[in-house]
Amino acid sequence: MPTISFPSYPTVETSYTSLPESFFQSTKPTPVSTPKVVFWNDTIATEFQFDHWKKEEESTAHFFSGTTLPEGIRPFAQAYAGHQFGHFTMLGDGRAIVMGELQNRSGERFDFQWKGSGRTKYSRNGDGRATLSAMVREYIMSEAMFGLQIPTTRSLAVVATGEPVLREETQMGAVLTRVARSHIRVGTFEYAYQALSLEELEALFRYTAKRHAPDVFTEENPALTFLEVVMKRQVELVTNWMRVGFIHGVMNTDNMSISGETIDYGPCAFMNGFSARRVFSSIDVNGRYAYTNQVGIAQWNLACLANSLLPLIDKNQETAVELAKAKMTELESWFQQSYIRMLGEKIGIPNATEQDLPLLQSLYQWMQDTEADFTNTFLVLEGTFTPKDSIYQESRWKDWVKTWQEEKKKRGIRDEDAIALMRKTNPSLIPRNHLVEIALANANQGNTNVVEQFIERSKSPYNREEGYDYSREVPVGGDGNYRTFCGT
Ligand code: AMP
Ligand code: MG
């Protein structure tokens, strides 16, 4: 192994390892043979004071593949559990290792994690590795999510390992550096509740609340308030996913972050033609995580969190259950309000309530029946885009538009105000599946330009550029049988 000298870099802390040892394994990434940086996110590099690190330097490839580490880095893998498709399982970082915590220029703490960095004690039968394709996909999708202004983990680098990874066929391996407010999941609390002592659960709670919701400690019931904070973040997150047609695909409790960020870009995708039951993930055969189920699943996952917090909510179990149940009822109404409000904003009606549901439902039913393009339909309404598709000539569509115009008038909503609201709410650009595939195929061939261009465009998805050809973005035949894989 050559001696590598590293440029200076900010302090890497590991506050997580102040938790009892049952929460992590101190371990290092497994070195790879010929690491090469394929993608380097300049914005993140600058934010975390890696701006003088160069993509082409050997030291960068070594650090961000975990092959050679500077002195003083003390990486660890995290233990967690989770409900996967409804079934409780012990898990943990089986192919990811946390490098440590770094602060951005505003002094906020983020985890840096190598994903695809080799086996850990939590790997079970897995090889601890990830494919280049899956890591580039995560990079593309998470940057698109960030551009859409939806909370998400991000990526600093994708480093090709130069080693093959055996999946259904042999693929190129890669390590992605994921940047997250933390990697503490609903599943981390389930693990502490199910497998550890009350003291350990309490330690996790104190640590997590200090990091993500420090104000709860001055409240009368810190654990219950913490639950509420986490719930509200998920309400916001999932409402936003629904707004842009995002289907996470694998909303297991281990993939729900306490920080409220979108995490774990496996089989996720954005839908083209609208269907409430749209599923892309090849393993989600029953549609548990279908588009429209996401709101209910988020509540199911948060019930798992509530359950894990019970001993901290009240010493008396009955009281704790009562308090948690009341929060679950509140959660349902928060979701309802937030969801209806978002639906209203998509058609330029602010502060929509249940009274607006019939109008909204008839639009969604029309989209369902015609498989209208979800993104472009709202651009048509707004007058940004003139579609060629004949469905927009049908009387059912025209009648709905007429009713919508009348409803706006009745409420005294001016057209320009409605349009301004719609422009903020509806993206003109989502990462269309067929274009993501083209970008990935290029990356696999060693051509990184297409991905770079794709990411550049994803930075301003609410732009209404003059002459922009929206129909070009829609794949012929909608999503067809488009399938996504955990094939990680
Ligand atoms: P995911 O579906 O990516 O959320 O992963 C679920 C669990 O499987 C996590 O504990 C992962 O660490 C683990 N896992 C996924 N892929 C691998 C792999 N190739 N090797 C080892 N563990 C893995
Ligand atoms: Mg996961």
Side-chain angles (χ1 to χ4, degrees), residues 431-459:
R432 301 272 186 183
N433 299 320
H434 64 301
L435 301 180
V436 171
E437 291 302 323
I438 292 170
L440 290 180
N442 272 277
N444 266 328
Q445 303 284 318
N447 175 12
T448 54
N449 291 349
V450 183
V451 174
E452 300 282 13
Q453 282 162 14
F454 199 93
I455 284 176
E456 199 49 42
R457 284 185 70 204
S458 308
K459 286 182 178 161

Side-chain angles (χ1 to χ4, degrees), residues 236-307:
E236 199 193 316
L237 180 66
V238 177
T239 305
N240 274 315
W241 290 353
M242 302 301 281
R243 171 171 64 81
V244 298
F246 178 75
I247 301 164
H248 182 284
V250 61
M251 284 177 75
N252 295 331
T253 54
D254 50 301
N255 292 336
M256 183 177 263
S257 169
I258 295 295
S259 76
E261 290 178 321
T262 310
I263 192 168
D264 238 318
Y265 290 85
C268 66
F270 288 76
M271 79 180 150
N272 291 300
F274 179 81
S275 170
R277 305 279 314 144
R278 184 75 72 209
V279 172
F280 291 112
S281 170
S282 55
I283 57 166
D284 191 3
V285 283
N286 296 319
R288 179 180 168 92
Y289 301 134
Y291 174 71
T292 208
N293 285 359
Q294 299 186 113
V295 171
I297 287 292
Q299 292 176 64
W300 194 94
N301 289 351
L302 289 163
C304 292
L305 178 65
N307 189 57

